[in-house]
Structures are given as C-alpha cells and as structure tokens.
C-alpha cells in the first residue's frame, strides 16, 4: 500500500502566459510504515506541490499517484472518496493560516475527527491529547487560533492533523519559524510517534542538521525533478552538494574545517553535537 508516484508531472496554469511545470516526471514509492522521510530542495523546487499530491489535494497533470490502493490521475473518479484518502494521509500545510479557520483551538482540532464521524465527547478528548502532544497546555483550547503566535499556530495546525490519526503524516516545514528548542521538541515528537506507532512521517525542511540526525531516508527535489532518493549518510558523503543547491549539516562543516586547519583526521560524519565533541576529543588525542 502506501503511496506510489508514477511519472507524475504537474503544471500550474494561468500563471502569466501559458503554464508553469512545478514537478516533472516523478516516480517514487513511499511505504505506509516505518519511514521517517525528509523532503528537501531549494525554495521553489516543488516540495509543497509534491506534498499536495500525496493526499490528492491536487491532481497530477499527467501520470498517476496511487494512494492506499486508490488511483489518482488528472481525471476525477466519482467512485473514489477523496476525503478518505485525506484521513489516511494527513497533510499539515506550510502556512498554518491556510488550515486554521474555527473560532477556538478546540473546535479547530475537533473539526477533522467530527468530519469523520467521531462522537463529540471523543473528539474533545482527541483535541486535548493532540494539543498535549504538540507541547501546548489545555489553556489554549478556548483561545482564538488567529490570535496565537506563529509558532503556536504551527503547533495547533499539527495537532489538528494528529487528531485524525493518519497512517502517513506529511508535514510541510513544521519546524520553520520555531525556536531551536521547539524544533527539536517537534522532531523528537515525530520520531517517537514514528517509532511507537510505526507510521510513516514525511517532513519537508530546509534544515540539514535535522535531516542528518532524524531521517531514515531523504528525497531531494531540484527544479521539480527528484534528483536523490537515499539515506542521509549517502547524501552527505557526496563530495559536493552544489548541483542540488544544498549545504552540509553543521557538524560536517565544522569537523571538515577543523581537519583542514589543524591537520587532524577526525571522522567528520557525526550526526549530533555531542558525537562531534567526542570525535574532536579523540582526534586531538591521537
Ligand atoms: N498556486 C500557484 N500558482 C502558480 N505557481 C505556483 C503556485 N504555487 C507554487 N507555484 C510555483 O511552483 C513552483 C514550486 O512551488 P512550491 O511551493 O512547490 O515550492 P517549494 O519547494 O515548496 O518552495 P518553498 O521552499 O519556498 O516552500 C514555484 O516556482 C512556485 O512559484
Ligand atoms: Mg513549500
């Protein structure tokens, strides 16, 4: 099951003259369990557009996306319940303003479960639980989502999708605009959800440190094309990432510079600051 892209192209129409090809000839399989995928690529490379294909929010211009056995193509099929697809694959938008619309946080988070016929009392419980998961207290339940800070809005929009309990969770830049601690808290939440429930989680990000530390697989888009699909280790061991318009994680950059300046031979492939520190200590002892 999961999601299979087959030769998917997508063009935005009505942009100036003609159309704009945002993703090109994408073939890709995403398992419905046990993956923590990061999707990266420079601004405008097509990440959000690709993500919106994963739950049939947009339809390919050509090619097909099979989502949990349902074939999504350019032509709408009356027999397919697209809403059911959106419960199986939950998408958190890049901009929370696109997602939040109710007058209280509680109503906003309850909206999805109620829409899928969860009884009101249960939906209320789900809202509380989801809010707790994203690190906000119950005092937020009666707040107006539009009066929250950027980071709080982001957390509420994530809670709304968590409450739906999708099998695959797609998060479009969930950590952008959060403080550094908040970023790690959220990534730790996604990792623990992934490990405890076996769900597949896809995170779009520009943060290579998070990619290196957390992802089991990384997809790279460049100008609408899928140019890399593999482990973060194999991506960051490439001698250059300039063709992908990406940079290396901070640990690799710093350790590489230390080796150059001090003629040490420290193993530069360290995923965390604490691993890097230990490697530096060893490198200077030997
Ligand atoms: N609604 C739209 N109408 C026309 N063109 C669009 C629309 N949305 C996106 N595009 C164009 O499609 C391309 C891909 O956009 P997309 O939002 O998928 O990129 P992205 O990789 O998510 O970028 P970012 O990192 O800035 O979020 C961009 O060149 C963008 O200008
Ligand atoms: Mg985007």
């Amino acid at each position: 099951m999961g999601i299979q892209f087959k030769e998917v192209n997508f063009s935005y129409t009505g942009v100036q003259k003609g159309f704009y090809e945002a993703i090109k000839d994408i073939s890709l399989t995403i398992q419905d369990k046990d993956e923590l995928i990061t999707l990266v690529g420079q601004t405008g490379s097509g990440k959000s557009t690709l993500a919106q294909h994963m739950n049939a929010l947009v339809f390919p211009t050509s090619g097909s996306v099979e989502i949990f056995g349902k074939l999504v193509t350019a032509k709408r099929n009356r027999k397919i319940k697209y809403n059911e697809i959106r419960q199986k694959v939950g998408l958190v938008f890049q901009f929370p303003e696109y997602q939040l619309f109710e007058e209280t946080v509680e109503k906003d988070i309850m909206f999805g479960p109620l829409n899928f016929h969860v009884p009101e009392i249960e939906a209320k419980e789900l809202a509380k639980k989801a809010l707790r998961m994203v690190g906000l207290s119950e005092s937020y339940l009666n707040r107006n989502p539009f009066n929250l800070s950027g980071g709080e809005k982001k957390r509420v929009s994530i809670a709304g999708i968590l409450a739906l309990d999708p099998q695959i969770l797609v998060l479009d830049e969930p950590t952008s605009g959060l403080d550094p601690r908040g970023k790690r808290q959220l990534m730790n939440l996604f990792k623990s959800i992934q490990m405890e429930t076996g769900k597949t989680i896809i995170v779009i990000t520009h943060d290579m440190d998070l990619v290196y530390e957390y992802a089991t697989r990384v997809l790279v888009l460049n100008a609408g094309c899928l140019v890399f699909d593999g482990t973060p280790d194999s991506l960051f061991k490439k001698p250059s990432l300039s063709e992908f318009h990406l940079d290396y994680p901070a640990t690799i950059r710093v350790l590489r510079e230390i080796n150059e300046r001090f003629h040490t031979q420290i193993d530069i492939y360290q995923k965390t600051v604490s691993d890097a520190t230990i490697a530096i200590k060893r490198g200077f002892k030997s």
Side-chain angles (χ1 to χ4, degrees):
M1 284 292 184
I3 307 174
Q4 284 92 36
F5 282 76
K6 285 204 184 118
E7 295 167 7
V8 172
N9 292 281
F10 180 80
S11 301
Y12 287 105
T13 47
V15 191
Q16 294 165 355
K17 273 190 220 146
F19 58 89
Y20 182 83
E21 236 186 336
I23 57 171
K24 300 168 196 163
D25 196 27
I26 304 259
S27 293
L28 167 70
T29 296
I30 291 162
Q31 307 298 339
D32 60 358
K33 54 182 183 337
D34 297 332
E35 295 209 82
L36 207 169
I37 299 173
T38 47
L39 172 56
V40 303
Q42 69 177 336
T43 288
S45 57
K47 302 179 298 298
S48 296
T49 307
L50 185 68
Q52 286 164 26
H53 280 77
M54 293 180 184
N55 75 345
L57 207 65
V58 298
F59 293 64
T61 307
S62 68
S64 65
V65 189
E66 193 176 327
I67 310 170
F68 285 92
K70 305 277 192 296
L71 200 67
V72 179
T73 60
K75 208 166 162 240
R76 274 177 188 266
N77 179 343
R78 279 164 195 254
K79 287 189 194 132
I80 296 181
K81 294 188 175 117
Y82 293 102
N83 258 347
E84 282 177 9
I85 292 180
R86 292 175 197 136
Q87 192 278 321
K88 287 215 161 76
V89 183
L91 171 67
V92 179
F93 286 117
Q94 180 166 5
F95 305 105
E97 289 78 7
Y98 290 179
Q99 200 167 315
L100 303 172
F101 64 96
E102 291 278 8
E103 69 225 33
T104 67
V105 166
E106 183 179 47
K107 281 189 185 166
D108 225 304
I109 304 177
M110 284 169 67
F111 178 81
L114 288 178
N115 212 18
F116 287 102
H117 314 296
V118 171
E120 187 156 349
I121 297 179
E122 250 174 72
K124 269 186 193 271
E125 282 308 310
L126 286 174
K128 271 190 207 158
K129 189 176 155 209
L131 202 60
R132 222 179 300 129
M133 285 173 91
V134 297
L136 294 178
S137 73
E138 284 185 19
S139 66
Y140 282 86
L141 285 170
N142 290 320
R143 299 268 308 264
N144 181 328
F146 297 97
N147 298 338
L148 300 175
S149 77
E152 289 164 342
K153 278 185 196 153
K154 201 114 211 180
R155 286 169 191 263
V156 171
S157 70
I158 294 168
I161 300 299
L162 287 178
L164 275 177
D165 197 27
Q167 181 57 27
I168 298 181
L169 249 170
V170 185
L171 301 123
D172 196 347
E173 301 202 28
T175 60
S176 74
L178 295 186
D179 58 65
R181 252 187 83 218
K183 276 186 191 183
R184 304 196 72 78
Q185 274 170 357
L186 266 193
M187 286 308 293
N188 286 333
L189 169 70
F190 302 147
K191 190 176 166 186
S192 66
I193 291 175
Q194 196 272 315
M195 287 175 78
E196 282 163 25
T197 64
K199 291 179 194 296
T200 280
I201 298 191
I202 303 168
V203 176
I204 297 179
T205 181
H206 288 284
D207 188 329
M208 295 304 129
D209 297 343
L210 298 183
V211 172
Y212 198 27
E213 187 176 342
Y214 289 94
T216 58
R217 177 179 173 194
V218 54
L219 306 172
V220 182
L221 281 184
N222 188 29
C225 299
L226 182 65
V227 290
F228 181 90
D229 178 356
T231 61
D233 283 315
S234 55
L235 176 67
F236 295 126
K237 280 191 176 162
K238 285 186 175 293
S240 167
L241 295 177
S242 56
E243 59 173 315
F244 300 154
H245 302 101
L246 296 177
D247 207 347
Y248 292 91
T251 48
I252 294 181
R253 283 185 283 129
V254 169
L255 292 172
R256 196 175 268 159
E257 188 150 344
I258 290 177
N259 278 346
E260 275 166 22
R261 288 212 193 171
F262 301 105
H263 309 291
T264 45
Q265 283 175 343
I266 299 165
D267 176 6
I268 62 172
Y269 299 107
Q270 307 296 336
K271 295 194 175 204
T272 63
V273 169
S274 80
D275 287 348
T277 312
I278 294 166
I280 293 169
K281 200 170 163 195
R282 268 202 221 113
F284 279 98
K285 265 191 190 157
S286 59

